[in-house]
Amino acid sequence: MSDIEDEEAPSDEEQGLEEQQESVNFPLTRETATNGLSVLSKIPGSIEHVYVRLDIREKNLSDIVEISGYKHLRFVDISNNHIVDLSPLNFCEALCTLNASQNQLSNCSLNRHQYLQQLDLSQNKLAAIPTLDQPMLKVLKLASNSIQNTDELVVETLPALESLILDHNQLEAVTLPVCKTLKFLSASNNKIANVIGLDVLPNLEGIVLRDNLISSLDGLPQDNATILAVDLSANQIGTLDEAKKVGTLHKLRTLFFADNVVAEESAYRQEMLVSCPDLVAVDDIECEAEEKADAAALRRQRTAVVTE
């Protein structure tokens, strides 16, 4: 027998992993970019047509330098790659939507894009809300990063922002600066302990704060007539008195308190309807005409007692 033992051949699983690791650092090539192009559109002021959509998701790309040669792109999806730098996209002056989720971005090196309206930077390595100068940006998705503070949002350079997604980060509070354009805020699956700070969003219509640590609703906007939907599922709201504080949201139509202790109270649905007469659904269950009528009668009865 030989003193030197034969090396054990790698298993199929190990070989597949090695091949995957070797394929991580692929730069974008012209061939890959060409294969991802679609949607012909006419260049303004010209008879020439160009492709304006690029889909190169899941290509194991490490950089996108090649993309700088496609200046007419409007819709770009580079998600699920290994990209660390977005600066080649600064040559795409007509960019309208960008999905750069599931990459390795620790910053956002995007210059001002006059027409950019949707930006998805979810599932990257952002430790803070990036400073963005995007005058037409309406939707900003920053879910599944490592963001700890919301007061870093520079709203002056985002004058059209309507929707902000901050789910699955490390937030302990919602401390946004005054933002009169924001209509929808989602910050589920964080460590948020209260709802203080929402009053600086005067045109907010919907808010999602499920799966947090909220036990008190002190701080909800008073006499609010804009918020239509609130999701506070899977928090720590324990009493009806606490839950009834949503009554300050006078136009509330959709409410979620599921997976809170209060949702187990027998009078829970009725008390929510008493507090919020415009509700059409509680915990995704439509409010029936009969229970709304009963709640209205109880509301009138309580009002009469108070006025006597």
Side-chain angles (χ1 to χ4, degrees):
M1 178 180 293
S2 172
D3 292 336
I4 302 175
E5 295 182 359
D6 292 335
E7 291 185 5
E8 184 177 350
S11 67
D12 292 342
E13 182 178 354
E14 291 172 337
Q15 186 173 356
L17 180 59
E18 291 175 358
E19 291 175 355
Q20 182 180 4
Q21 291 173 339
E22 292 174 357
S23 68
V24 164
N25 296 316
F26 285 164
L28 177 62
T29 64
R30 181 174 294 276
E31 180 182 4
T32 301
T34 300
N35 290 336
L37 292 171
S38 63
V39 186
L40 275 173
S41 181
K42 186 178 178 181
I43 300 176
S46 170
I47 61 172
E48 184 181 356
H49 286 70
V50 292
Y51 288 106
V52 296
R53 182 182 296 276
L54 177 65
D55 185 344
I56 48 173
R57 54 188 165 176
E58 300 181 22
K59 301 297 183 183
N60 287 325
L61 299 175
S62 58
D63 74 65
I64 53 171
V65 173
E66 178 68 25
I67 211 170
S68 61
Y70 299 87
K71 65 179 182 179
H72 297 292
L73 289 175
R74 299 178 193 170
F75 315 102
V76 175
D77 188 342
I78 55 173
S79 61
N80 202 358
N81 283 291
H82 305 274
I83 297 163
V84 298
D85 181 19
L86 297 180
S87 61
L89 286 161
N90 289 329
F91 293 90
C92 305
E93 298 178 354
L95 194 63
C96 294
T97 68
L98 172 60
N99 184 353
S101 63
Q102 294 179 270
N103 277 288
Q104 303 294 318
L105 299 168
S106 59
N107 59 69
C108 182
S109 49
L110 278 181
N111 292 342
R112 181 186 178 101
H113 284 75
Q114 183 177 352
Y115 306 109
L116 185 61
Q117 297 180 44
Q118 297 186 32
L119 176 60
D120 191 347
L121 298 174
S122 303
Q123 298 185 57
N124 276 283
K125 296 185 175 181
L126 299 173
I129 296 179
T131 300
L132 300 166
D133 183 7
Q134 308 297 343
M136 290 188 65
L137 190 67
K138 292 185 177 182
V139 179
L140 177 58
K141 298 181 180 180
L142 298 169
S144 299
N145 280 284
S146 300
I147 297 169
Q148 298 181 10
N149 299 300
T150 57
D151 52 4
E152 299 161 332
L153 183 72
V154 182
V155 297
E156 291 80 7
T157 56
L158 297 171
L161 187 64
E162 295 182 357
S163 180
L164 178 61
I165 313 298
L166 290 162
D167 303 336
H168 294 276
N169 276 285
Q170 299 177 15
L171 302 176
E172 296 183 359
V174 179
T175 53
L176 290 167
V178 175
C179 185
K180 296 181 179 181
T181 59
L182 198 66
K183 295 181 179 180
F184 179 76
L185 172 65
S186 184
S188 65
N189 292 91
N190 280 281
K191 301 176 182 178
I192 298 170
N194 59 65
V195 294
I196 297 172
L198 299 179
D199 54 342
V200 300
L201 309 172
N203 294 302
L204 195 64
E205 296 178 3
I207 181 165
V208 178
L209 292 173
R210 64 176 179 267
D211 288 291
N212 277 289
L213 304 174
I214 299 168
S215 59
S216 170
L217 297 183
D218 290 339
L220 279 177
Q222 299 296 304
D223 297 321
N224 179 278
T226 63
I227 296 178
L228 304 175
V230 171
D231 187 347
L232 287 163
S233 303
N235 276 280
Q236 299 176 7
I237 310 300
T239 67
L240 287 172
D241 285 341
E242 199 64 45
K244 286 190 289 186
K245 292 177 182 178
V246 297
T248 62
L249 311 178
H250 300 315
K251 298 297 183 180
L252 192 64
R253 296 175 62 80
T254 305
L255 175 65
F256 289 88
F257 267 136
D259 297 320
N260 282 273
V261 172
V262 69
E264 301 174 4
E265 296 280 348
S266 59
Y268 159 63
R269 282 182 64 85
Q270 185 179 56
E271 290 297 340
M272 293 303 96
L273 284 167
V274 171
S275 300
C276 304
D278 286 342
L279 279 174
V280 297
V282 176
D283 296 334
D284 215 20
I285 299 175
E286 186 176 348
C287 299
E288 298 180 357
E290 183 177 352
E291 61 180 342
K292 294 191 73 169
D294 290 343
L298 182 56
R299 190 184 313 109
R300 288 192 297 270
Q301 179 181 343
R302 290 177 179 176
T303 303
V305 170
V306 170
T307 56
E308 288 180 356

